[in-house]
Amino acid sequence: MAFGRFLGGDDFPISKITPEVIAKYLGTRPSNNNYNVHRKELSSLFSYAENVLESIDRNPVKKIEKLPHTVARKRVPQEQDIIKLLLAADPETDEKDLLIVMLHTLARIDEVLRLTWEDINFDKRLLTKWTRKTHGGSYKAVTVTINDELYFTLWKMWQNRKQDTWVFFNEKTNDRFNHRPKFMKGLCKRAGINPYFGFHTLRHLMASLLADNPKISTKTIQNILGHSEARTTEIYLHKLDGAIEDAMDSISGRFESKNEKPQPEATTKNIKSSQ
């Protein structure tokens, strides 16, 4: 988006773009925050051109400093908001399923939409999500345990699946969903939540709930979230320990009433053995 606005539809040789040209464009941005956002996007693009494509000798954005700005306070939803969303979710669609998976994996929306049934092991009650939040841009596996509520939801989805690849399958395109841009806004509107919040705030809420439990360490939460500060080896399957299982169990049934709390299936059959 930033590069398209920067060029304005003109054909301009990338080798002719100087720091002065960049600075002149950034000076047209309406706020310091927007300035910094566009500066970051342009810097990433020119860095790719310099280091990967080797089409330029230097990044013209590198010496342009960020401007000071006040970071807007992120709105973190309350538990009551989540209950409203779950009640407003359309039972004829995958809305509630998507919310449950988001909440109980603490995953990013793109990680959830990339989930395949091969990433789910019902036998060992493990789910592997794949994140690209790494310095090199490669995918990193983050494995979490499946608590009772998540197990109930995933098992129901597996039994009612339309195909054997994607957990969240788009029947209109016969492929996975690449994004769900209108999902949260529409659901918040139906739930009477204003202003609405996005998918990423669900991670903040669930991380906060885990942090409120003194028995759950910061390191365990980092492992569940897949943050780069935690050593990669600690989030792989063979490094999992009881701490993550206890953490995921602590949020099971958090948003369900006592008399509606789902029970896990008695079977321990996993995906591979059921295919």
Side-chain angles (χ1 to χ4, degrees):
M1 179 187 295
F3 195 63
R5 290 185 178 178
F6 168 64
L7 289 178
D10 296 330
D11 236 350
F12 199 78
I14 193 171
S15 59
K16 299 293 184 181
I17 298 176
T18 63
E20 291 73 25
V21 174
I22 298 289
K24 184 178 179 180
Y25 164 74
L26 291 177
T28 67
R29 305 322 304 151
S31 67
N32 286 11
N33 182 51
N34 189 264
Y35 176 106
N36 290 335
V37 169
H38 281 240
R39 176 195 169 278
K40 181 179 179 181
E41 291 183 8
L42 290 172
S43 182
S44 297
L45 179 66
F46 284 111
S47 179
Y48 180 79
E50 178 187 10
N51 300 318
V52 179
L53 300 180
E54 298 183 346
S55 57
I56 58 175
D57 296 327
R58 62 191 178 90
N59 183 344
V61 188
K62 195 170 184 180
K63 292 188 177 181
I64 299 178
E65 299 292 335
K66 293 191 296 185
L67 294 181
H69 73 277
T70 302
V71 179
R73 187 172 183 179
K74 186 181 291 292
R75 187 200 169 197
V76 178
Q78 303 299 309
E79 291 186 54
Q80 189 62 36
D81 292 327
I82 305 303
I83 294 173
K84 289 180 180 178
L85 290 181
L86 292 170
L87 290 173
D90 185 350
E92 300 300 318
T93 69
D94 65 357
E95 288 183 343
K96 186 173 182 179
D97 296 335
L98 181 59
L99 283 174
I100 293 293
V101 174
M102 291 286 297
L103 291 166
H104 292 276
T105 61
L106 284 78
R108 300 174 179 89
I109 180 59
D110 59 308
E111 294 166 359
V112 169
L113 297 183
R114 279 199 303 269
L115 280 175
T116 69
W117 287 114
E118 286 292 326
D119 296 324
I120 314 296
N121 189 319
F122 285 110
D123 187 35
K124 295 183 179 179
R125 295 179 71 126
L126 296 173
L127 178 149
T128 300
K129 51 187 179 177
W130 298 88
T131 179
R132 271 189 110 164
K133 291 287 185 176
T134 62
H135 294 299
S138 58
Y139 285 105
K140 177 177 67 174
V142 179
T143 303
V144 296
T145 54
I146 298 173
N147 61 32
D148 286 352
E149 191 170 347
L150 182 57
Y151 186 100
F152 177 87
T153 296
L154 289 171
W155 184 253
K156 178 197 67 176
M157 293 176 68
W158 167 250
Q159 291 177 313
N160 297 325
R161 70 194 183 283
K162 303 291 184 180
Q163 41 73 63
D164 294 340
T165 303
W166 302 109
V167 175
F168 289 96
F169 181 66
N170 187 345
E171 294 185 53
K172 293 181 179 179
T173 63
N174 202 35
D175 199 357
R176 77 173 181 92
F177 287 96
N178 289 306
H179 51 81
R180 305 289 290 266
K182 299 178 181 179
F183 184 98
M184 288 299 290
K185 185 176 182 179
L187 189 54
C188 284
K189 184 176 181 179
R190 273 185 276 136
I193 298 172
N194 186 35
Y196 76 92
F197 50 85
F199 285 116
H200 201 70
T201 57
L202 300 179
R203 272 169 59 91
H204 286 266
L205 169 64
M206 301 310 289
S208 298
L209 292 178
L210 292 179
D212 281 342
N213 189 329
K215 296 181 180 180
I216 301 173
S217 70
T218 300
K219 182 178 179 181
T220 296
I221 297 173
Q222 287 177 341
N223 286 344
I224 294 169
L225 292 171
H227 285 163
S228 58
E229 297 84 62
R231 292 188 338 172
T232 302
T233 52
E234 293 180 345
I235 60 174
Y236 279 87
L237 179 60
H238 62 279
K239 288 291 184 179
L240 286 174
D241 56 26
I244 290 181
E245 184 176 1
D246 290 343
M248 303 314 286
D249 282 345
S250 75
I251 55 177
S252 181
R254 186 94 189 201
F255 308 108
E256 297 285 345
S257 61
K258 299 290 184 182
N259 59 347
E260 293 179 350
K261 185 175 180 180
Q263 297 299 319
E265 294 285 337
T267 180
T268 59
K269 183 187 295 183
N270 64 16
I271 289 293
K272 292 181 180 178
S273 63
S274 61
Q275 289 181 328

